[in-house]
Amino acid sequence: MSEFTHINAQGNAKMVDVSDKDITKRVATAHSSITVNEAIYKQIVEHTNKKGNVLNTAQIAGIMAAKNTSTIIPMCHPLSLTGIDIAFEWDTTSSYTLNIEATVSTSGKTGVEMEALTAASATALTVYDMTKALDKGMVIGETYLISKSGGKSGDYRRS
């Protein structure tokens, strides 16, 4: 049976000691989405939201969230991130869904998967917050890791 790395000898939570791990370049990309109605879609793409540019604000929120992941996820190590990028793509084939892709990188001893996931989530939540006056029925979609590279566990790509 494998040893739980986040549990101490007394069975309580602990932060894993990564001091013996190698410093490597680590990159992670995560996805989230939010489905909105046509009025919100138009407001976003036409930049007519009274709170300001929705996607720009959401992008900044995602960046801030990545940088602060260790303050809200208890076992995450505080990391010096070297890059954060949030990209958007609309899918209007059957609804108005904004796909969000957050990529986070660092050179360090632990990965940035949680930072990428947190960034994607906070970005979607910010879109909701900025547009909820028009419709509170928006749906934030699945959030998941697309890929990660670097570190002892190697590369991962969602199939």
Side-chain angles (χ1 to χ4, degrees), residues 116-149:
L117 289 161
T118 302
S121 299
T123 301
L125 289 167
T126 302
V127 171
Y128 185 98
D129 179 53
M130 291 191 69
T131 59
K132 68 183 182 278
L134 280 175
D135 178 27
K136 292 176 181 37
M138 292 173 278
V139 175
I140 294 175
E142 292 182 319
T143 300
Y144 53 85
L145 185 66
I146 296 171
S147 64
K148 74 90 150 173
S149 63

Side-chain angles (χ1 to χ4, degrees), residues 40-76:
I40 291 172
Y41 167 75
K42 286 182 178 180
Q43 190 181 77
I44 291 171
V45 299
E46 294 171 2
H47 305 291
T48 58
N49 184 286
K50 292 180 180 168
K51 293 183 180 182
N53 185 315
V54 174
L55 297 186
N56 187 45
T57 303
Q59 197 169 37
I60 292 167
I63 291 167
M64 291 175 63
K67 290 166 52 173
N68 287 289
T69 299
S70 67
T71 64
I72 59 173
I73 307 293
M75 300 307 163
C76 284

Side-chain angles (χ1 to χ4, degrees), residues 99-117:
N99 290 300
I100 301 159
E101 197 169 282
T103 301
V104 179
S105 59
T106 191
S107 289
K109 296 181 175 215
T110 189
V112 287
E113 297 96 293
M114 292 307 302
E115 287 73 11
L117 289 161

